[in-house]
């Protein structure tokens, strides 16, 4: 699908979204789930959707899934730090950052809402990196210093 931040490719299995990847790929056979995911992402980019209602099947370690669950709880227009999430999981910020970088469904599980200590803008594994992270946060109305 086309997005304001470049092409995105959506992947699903029989009944759940399993990945959102930056860049284009040959168009898969459209399914009702892929069409719905694209519609919800389009509404998000237009500022008309603040949370996604899609079935997800995320493959990862138990720790990664725990980080992704916490990221999923970060409200639209809000941010948390890697340290915040690490404290909740009794872990280290760097480990949380590693799990963020392996998030298979960016935007939908909002890893862009996780910042470094003191609100510092840190890396982002999708699109154009930090520029993409900043664009997503601006779209959500986050005041970037």
């Amino acid at each position: 699908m086309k997005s304001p931040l470049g092409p995105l490719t959506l992947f699903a299995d029989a009944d759940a979204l399993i990945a959102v990847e930056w860049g284009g790929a040959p168009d898969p056979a459209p399914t009702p789930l892929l069409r719905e995911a694209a519609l919800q992402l389009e509404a998000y980019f237009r500022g008309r959707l603040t949370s996604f209602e899609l079935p997800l099947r995320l493959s990862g370690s138990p720790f990664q899934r725990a980080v992704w669950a916490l990221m999923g709880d970060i409200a639209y227009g809000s941010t948390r730090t890697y340290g915040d999430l690490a404290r909740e999981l009794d872990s280290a910020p760097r480990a949380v950052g590693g799990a963020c970088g392996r998030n298979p469904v960016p935007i939908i599980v909002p890893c862009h809402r996780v910042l470094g200590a003191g609100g510092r803008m840190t890396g982002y594994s999708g699109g154009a990196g930090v520029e993409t992270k900043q664009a997503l946060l601006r779209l959500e109305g986050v005041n970037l210093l």
Side-chain angles (χ1 to χ4, degrees):
M1 69 169 280
K2 293 179 183 176
S3 87
L5 301 174
L8 297 172
T9 302
L10 312 177
F11 297 91
D13 63 13
D15 58 353
L17 192 66
I18 58 172
V20 174
E21 293 183 3
W22 300 95
D27 287 334
T31 66
L33 175 57
L34 289 173
R35 283 193 289 276
E36 179 60 26
L39 288 172
Q40 288 189 31
L41 281 162
E42 289 167 0
Y44 168 82
F45 285 119
R46 283 192 226 109
R48 296 182 181 156
L49 183 81
T50 60
S51 65
F52 294 91
E53 295 294 328
L54 295 165
L56 303 176
R57 183 166 297 113
L58 307 181
S59 294
S61 71
F63 177 77
Q64 289 169 335
R65 290 193 308 269
V67 171
W68 301 335
L70 287 177
M71 288 189 307
D73 292 338
I74 304 171
Y76 181 94
S78 299
T79 61
R80 305 227 16 230
T81 67
Y82 296 101
D84 293 336
L85 300 183
R87 278 186 290 284
E88 285 192 44
L89 295 168
D90 195 27
S91 184
R94 191 173 301 265
V96 170
C100 287
R102 290 179 183 83
N103 174 14
V105 288
I107 305 170
I108 294 167
V109 172
C111 49
H112 60 278
R113 296 179 189 154
V114 183
L115 305 176
R120 199 175 72 247
M121 194 61 55
T122 56
Y124 187 67
S125 61
V130 172
E131 291 175 23
T132 298
K133 184 174 193 166
Q134 291 171 327
L136 290 167
L137 291 171
R138 274 192 221 99
L139 172 77
E140 294 183 11
V142 173
N143 185 15
L144 303 175
L145 302 177

